[in-house]
Structure formats: C-alpha cells, structure tokens
Amino acid sequence: MAMTGVLRPGHVQLRVMNLDDAVRHYRDIMGLTETGRDAEGRVYLKCRDEIDHHSVVLREADCAGLDFIGFKVLDEATLDRLEADLRAYGLDTTRLPAGDLLETGERVRFQVPSGHWFELYAKKSAVGNGCGLVDPTPWAPENKRGMAPLRLDHALLYGPNIGAVQKIFTEVLGFTLVERVLNPEGSANLIIFLNCSIKSHDIAFAEYPEPGKLHHCSFLMESWEDVLRAGDIMSMNKVPVDIGPTRHGVTRGRTIYAWDPSGNRFETFKEDRQPYPDHEPLTWTFEALGAGGGLDYVQRKLHETFLTVVT
Ligand code: M3P
Ligand code: FE
C-alpha cells in the first residue's frame, strides 16, 4: 500500500454560539447527516460520502472557533509510532480515552506552535455512505440533501510560528509542502499548503499574530456545478457569503467562502489539482496573492476579509 502514516483530516470540533442555529446550518442547509449527540451535548455530523461515524462535531460555547482537528492514521501501530516520534521531536502529547468522542478510539493530542490543537487517531466506527459494499450504488439518494458536500476536505488555520509548524508536519508527520505564498518582504512564508495525500492540501497555515485561529473548514463538492448550486442554497437561506463563486489561483480550487451562524467561515470547494510528493512546491509572491489572482483568480483582488476575519 502506497498510502500509509497520516491518511486525512477526519474531524473538526467547532465552537458555535447557538447549537440549534448551528445544527440548522450544518444539517438542514448544508445537508450533513446528524449521527449522534453525546452526554456533553455535542452534536456529531458526517458528509454524504464519508464512511466513518462523523467529521464535524459542534460544541456550544461563548465564542466561535476551532477546538481541535483530528487526523486519521492508518492503524494502531502507526498511532504508537507517531506518538513516539512527536515526543522524540520535543512535543508533549496526551492520550484521550476511546469513547471520549463517540464511536472513536484513543486519540493522541498535541499542540503546535501556532496554538492549534491536533490529534491523531486510528479507529472510528465505519457507518458507511449508504451505497453498500457489494454492488454499490454511486450515491445514496437519502443522503443527497442541501449543499450535499462529499467530505470534509481541509482547513486553513491562522497563528504564529508557521515555519516551526511546517517542520513538525513535514519532518514528523510525513506531510509535503505543496504550495506557499510569500510575505510582503519575500523573506518567509505567509501561507503554507501541505498534503499527506495527492489532494491540493489537507491542511494550510497562515502566519498571524493571534494563536489558534480558524480561517475556514472546507467541504469537497462533487462538481463546480455543485459549488454554484451551493451558492444558490446560500442565497435562498441568507447565508452570508465572503468570496466567490470563483477560483483560487493558489491550489486552483473552485470555491465559495461563506460564514456559519457563529461566524466560522466554511468553504464549498471543488479541487482541481493533484500534486504528488515528488513535485516541486509552487510559490506565489505576496503581490500575486491579490493582483495575480492567488486568492481570487477571476477578480484578481485581495479581499480584505481574507487577511482579517477569523474565529
Ligand atoms: C483555499 C483552497 C489563497 C487560497 C486559498 C485556497 C490563500 O482555501 O481551498 O484552495 O489564496
Ligand atoms: Fe480552502
């Protein structure tokens, strides 16, 4: 098997300021399926083509934002190895018990120098995508509701010390730098896009003074047509839109950025690039992030919200 180690972002736990409004957004407007609620009141949801029990966990809190992101790893031996590797690198790790998140095995949690909390886990109950395992259907009609994203795809996080974060992800966790945007001086990276697969990115970080911030969680759509259709659904439901529909020059992703009722940005996204680990990373100058269409290839402008609005 070529794909080992860290497989993918498997879940995000989001803080929302009103649980009912958030459930209406993620379940009824976006069309994720609710798969459970726990004793703490957290709500678990999954996208229609995901196999595992959940990818989005909503927790009611006083302020919006991201509690943590979990990455699924191949198996328990990989989890043990990566835990040891993180410790050998000098990071503190803690183990959360199986069942702390519904239907999820033990998680190895650690904080990176941007202030974000990550966790690795090897086990989560497979509930399936409704298509079956023998003579499967291509999609399950009962799960194709609302915007109907296929899966949680990636997140862009804002915080300090992204150079140190990049080292952890590439040197310990086996990620590859795929694309980057330089700072205005050209002296360091302002934004880095990393994958652990051949996705255009599995995680991205932007240099920002405040630690632990969320720029967006992204959801993969089946087609560009479905991104536009998601835009229709946003308008019908008065979901506030930030940017798009357009294409990012950086990563080539076709996109809409919009906000959930708590102000957490989310993206409906159709990827358009599959970089292998042997490909050279692509570099964008800061000037090209705006005028070169890095952020918005159609309008070629640096929308102010991109650099300033985070939760
Ligand atoms: C994405 C994406 C920038 C592009 C961001 C890209 C920073 O959010 O999912 O492709 O210009
Ligand atoms: Fe994105």
Side-chain angles (χ1 to χ4, degrees), residues 12 43 50 85-86 144 151 191 209 246-247 251 273 299:
V12 289
V43 178
E50 288 167 333
D85 291 350
L86 287 164
K144 204 164 176 177
R151 68 167 183 232
I191 317 175
T246 187
R247 177 199 287 281
T251 77
R273 187 169 175 243
Q299 295 206 49

Side-chain angles (χ1 to χ4, degrees), residues 163-296:
V165 175
Q166 179 180 334
K167 278 172 73 75
I168 294 165
F169 274 81
T170 56
E171 292 177 19
V172 187
L173 299 175
F175 284 60
T176 302
L177 178 70
V178 173
E179 219 153 326
R180 63 186 184 142
V181 180
L182 300 175
N183 66 9
E185 301 77 38
S187 59
N189 293 333
L190 177 68
I191 317 175
I192 52 174
F193 298 82
L194 306 158
N195 72 7
C196 57
S197 62
I198 59 164
K199 287 158 61 180
S200 65
H201 48 316
D202 288 283
I203 190 77
F205 294 91
E207 188 72 33
Y208 191 71
E210 245 185 294
K213 292 294 178 183
L214 171 68
H215 185 276
H216 69 268
C217 291
S218 186
F219 295 88
L220 180 70
M221 308 302 292
E222 190 171 340
S223 64
W224 166 233
E225 189 68 28
D226 272 4
V227 176
L228 298 179
R229 187 175 161 280
D232 292 341
I233 294 172
M234 289 173 200
S235 182
M236 288 170 192
N237 290 281
K238 311 235 173 2
V239 173
V241 170
D242 178 20
I243 300 177
T246 187
R247 177 199 287 281
H248 297 298
V250 184
T251 77
R252 297 188 202 151
R254 292 160 287 188
T255 178
I256 301 174
Y257 283 159
W259 286 286
D260 80 4
S262 301
N264 294 311
R265 192 187 279 95
F266 69 99
E267 175 176 47
T268 51
F269 161 83
K270 176 69 178 88
E271 97 291 304
D272 194 17
R273 187 169 175 243
Q274 296 192 319
Y276 282 90
D278 60 324
H279 295 173
E280 283 283 310
L282 303 180
T283 300
W284 293 76
T285 58
F286 183 77
E287 196 190 10
L289 178 61
L295 176 61
D296 183 339

